[in-house]
Amino acid sequence: MGSGPHRFVHLFLLMIPTWLSSSFSDAYKFYVGGKDGWVVKPSEEYNHWAQRNRFQINDTLYFKYKKGSDSVLVVKKENYDSCNTKSPIQKMDGGDSSFTFDRSGPFFFISGNAGNCQKGQKLIVVVLAVRHHKPQSPPPVAAPGLSPASGSPPAVSPGSWSPEPSEGPSSTGDVAPAPSPGKDGSGSMRFGVGERSCPSYNTQHVVDKVKDDDGKLRWKRVKVKPEEHVKVPIFPETESGIYDQYFDDYVSRILTERTPNSKPLWEVHVIKYPTTNAAGTVIMKLHHALGDGYSLMGALLSCLHRADDPSLPLSFPSRPENSTKKSILKRLPSAISSFFDSIPDFGWSLIKSGMMEDDISPIRSGFEGTESQPFALSNILFSLDRFKEIKSKLGVTTNDVITGMISYGIRLYMQEIDYETRMANSTAVVMLNTRKIEGYQSVKDMLKPDSKGQWGNRISFLQVSIPKLSQDSISNPLEFVWKAHKIIKRKRHSFSVFLIGWLLDLEMKLRGHEAVAKHIYTTLGNCSVVISNLNGPIERMALANHPVKGFYFTMTGGPENVNITIMSYMKTLRVTLRTLKGFIDEHKFKCCIQNAFEVIYKAAMEETQKNPELN
């Protein structure tokens, strides 16, 4: 168990409906200059913008400018270099002009005003060639301990990846020197996804080599070798052409494998095989030492853009502001109540973290070292509109409904596996971000010393008892929503979360990262379920110009047997379940969560019919 604290890892999974190397029939429209349009001094240099995007045949460039004051010329390279406007290949001067790529290779654009061109109003775009060859698959290798006749799919080859040189500007060359690591060991680098660059981290934790005079481990700056971190697995062919089983087994292996300390702590896995959910999947495995979910999400969003209009920023759900401002006298009773609520909450949290364990149950085995055992990953997709419908009917929040559904689903599963455990003492640890900021920031902004959303691990946690499945709650499942509403309302005004965050910061300063990791590891081990959530964009995103169908994440490396993550994206809510294989029946657990939602939804609709005042 001693190695546990080193293992915390985030997995972000992007589901691609049409794969990166698929047909180019899905053309994409690029807005040159974004919101600035075709001007002399855009906020981002045109060629820098082109370097971080991926262009294919049939894609279109859209130039926005005022008719009569400027134009766009397609020219040869020598005329591009000299800003010669006299003999263009094509001239566009209609005000809002579009240009569609009909071949691969470089294209050169300049302003029809020679003076503007000399000031930098010019653009080079390199269109990728289409490759029709299919990589040959090596003979499948049987998994250790399994015979080919066992019916289990063979293990997959990890494959390899290396950047291919191309004409014109490229963003996948040598890694730029990283800035000096910060106090939390942060640095920076860029790695390419298609032709789009994404910020990541150029830091390495070398256990045996980098120690100071006190024997403390430090970060070491290294030059990243992309081929060691970007992996393209090769699966054996299937008759159906669908690779669900191979994909599930591959993800299970990623969840179990420990990130080596001998190189930078990140990996990208590109799954170029269709499943029933998507044509391909990109998996980003990022060690928690690099940053928490907020930090890593901000970095990941730097690789993505709005699918409908890349010139516009992604937007995220926001909390409704409280328009009524209370005087100090009116707020005083609430502050006093919060203070007296916070003390027992904080004390109970310390006891739960240090000495009080949950009961052994169908969701908590109590075994040590389960983090190194195989885990299964499954997803449930819900309509956010249906959650909002329950919310408006009952007069609660969306979080109340989600929490009530998960609690009720967990208890249904426990009762089905072992009836007696419906009354077991079970606790959920809710991981929280302590930054007082809405939305995400870019990596550049997060690294600023005065940033409100600083990069790193700014986390706390909240321990919440899972309501027991009494006879009353069986007859009225809305009891779980009401209890969730009451608990969340009380905890929202408690200082306990910030006291725990302050305690973790103090422990880090006095005892170091390892002590904090051990503290969190023990806390998770004493409880039954770990829950965390992130807000995704409201609009559809695109990766290297390809729309992202689904987006979810999970955490691995902790001692818990059940980990639940929640991600909103567009008008959907995805609940991801990471469950211990051989102990948790993942199919039954998933069905119980789904059934819990349907039962709560039906009860909410019937409740409003019985009590019209709830409408």
Side-chain angles (χ1 to χ4, degrees), residues 226-505:
E227 64 274 11
E228 294 183 357
H229 297 273
V230 183
K231 303 180 180 181
V232 184
I234 298 174
F235 296 165
E237 292 187 5
T238 64
E239 293 182 2
S240 64
I242 301 298
Y243 293 80
D244 285 11
Q245 187 61 56
Y246 292 110
F247 175 81
D248 291 344
D249 289 348
Y250 187 80
V251 172
S252 179
R253 194 184 79 184
I254 294 174
L255 289 170
T256 305
E257 287 180 345
R258 183 170 180 173
T259 306
N261 286 330
S262 58
K263 57 185 179 181
L265 305 175
W266 62 270
E267 294 175 355
V268 177
H269 299 258
V270 184
I271 315 295
K272 294 186 175 183
Y273 294 90
T275 63
T276 53
N277 295 317
T281 307
V282 177
I283 303 174
M284 300 183 183
K285 184 176 182 180
L286 307 164
H287 199 285
H288 211 306
L290 299 177
D292 56 17
Y294 176 91
S295 301
L296 300 176
M297 182 73 167
L300 179 57
L301 289 172
S302 299
C303 309
L304 306 168
H305 54 84
R306 279 183 61 159
D308 59 342
D309 187 348
S311 66
L312 298 177
L314 292 164
S315 56
F316 299 84
S318 59
R319 299 175 185 173
E321 295 185 3
N322 188 359
S323 57
T324 58
K325 294 184 178 180
K326 297 181 180 179
S327 64
I328 296 177
L329 290 177
K330 290 184 178 180
R331 285 184 292 175
L332 185 59
S334 176
I336 295 174
S337 175
S338 297
F339 174 78
F340 284 105
D341 286 342
S342 301
I343 300 303
D345 285 348
F346 182 60
W348 185 70
S349 176
L350 294 179
I351 294 172
K352 282 294 298 179
S353 294
M355 60 188 75
M356 186 185 295
E357 296 185 7
D358 278 0
D359 294 338
I360 301 300
S361 71
I363 60 171
R364 183 175 183 271
S365 65
F367 299 141
E368 293 187 0
T370 55
E371 64 270 16
S372 61
Q373 300 300 312
F375 279 81
L377 200 65
S378 55
N379 287 278
I380 312 172
L381 206 60
F382 297 101
S383 166
L384 266 176
D385 289 338
R386 295 187 74 192
F387 275 98
K388 292 177 181 178
E389 193 175 352
I390 300 173
K391 163 193 165 183
S392 61
K393 293 286 186 181
L394 301 182
V396 296
T397 68
T398 303
N399 282 338
D400 297 336
V401 180
I402 295 171
T403 305
M405 174 197 70
I406 291 175
S407 299
Y408 185 43
I410 289 173
R411 286 297 182 181
L412 288 178
Y413 174 79
M414 294 173 68
Q415 176 182 256
E416 190 164 338
I417 299 299
D418 184 351
Y419 183 79
E420 297 299 325
T421 60
R422 76 193 191 284
M423 300 296 288
N425 293 315
S426 301
T427 309
V429 177
V430 182
M431 304 303 297
L432 300 169
N433 161 38
T434 59
R435 298 171 181 83
K436 296 181 180 180
I437 185 173
E438 288 192 8
Y440 298 95
Q441 291 187 312
S442 66
V443 175
K444 181 180 179 181
D445 289 336
M446 282 190 282
L447 291 176
K448 293 179 180 178
D450 58 346
S451 172
K452 292 183 179 180
Q454 282 194 347
W455 182 280
N457 283 288
R458 304 287 187 270
I459 60 173
S460 183
F461 53 80
L462 189 65
Q463 290 132 314
V464 180
S465 294
I466 301 174
K468 298 176 180 179
L469 193 60
S470 63
Q471 191 60 43
D472 290 340
S473 58
I474 293 176
S475 59
N476 184 11
L478 294 182
E479 285 292 324
F480 278 87
V481 179
W482 300 126
K483 288 179 180 178
H485 175 71
K486 183 178 179 180
I487 292 171
I488 291 174
K489 185 177 180 180
R490 179 177 179 272
K491 298 287 187 181
R492 185 182 293 123
H493 298 290
S494 172
F495 304 133
S496 175
V497 171
F498 298 99
L499 289 174
I500 294 170
W502 172 82
L503 180 65
L504 294 176
D505 288 341

Side-chain angles (χ1 to χ4, degrees), residues 110-225:
I110 64 173
S111 169
N113 185 320
N116 290 352
C117 175
Q118 291 169 358
K119 293 177 182 178
Q121 192 178 348
K122 54 202 299 190
L123 168 67
I124 302 175
V125 171
V126 178
V127 178
L128 301 179
V130 179
R131 292 179 172 83
H132 299 284
H133 67 273
K134 181 179 179 181
Q136 294 183 349
S137 301
V141 181
L146 295 176
S147 65
S150 65
S152 299
V156 297
S157 170
S160 61
W161 179 93
S162 61
E164 297 184 17
S166 61
E167 296 183 40
S170 173
S171 62
T172 56
D174 292 338
V175 177
S180 300
K183 63 181 180 181
D184 59 352
S186 59
S188 69
M189 61 155 285
R190 301 182 74 84
F191 67 90
V193 177
E195 295 299 310
R196 186 175 177 84
S197 295
C198 308
S200 184
Y201 270 69
N202 185 16
T203 51
Q204 176 178 355
H205 203 240
V206 183
V207 176
D208 296 326
K209 297 181 180 179
V210 187
K211 293 185 178 181
D212 60 14
D213 296 337
D214 297 329
K216 294 182 179 179
L217 298 171
R218 298 295 183 189
W219 292 93
K220 176 185 176 182
R221 191 183 307 177
V222 297
K223 183 175 181 179
V224 174
K225 299 178 181 178

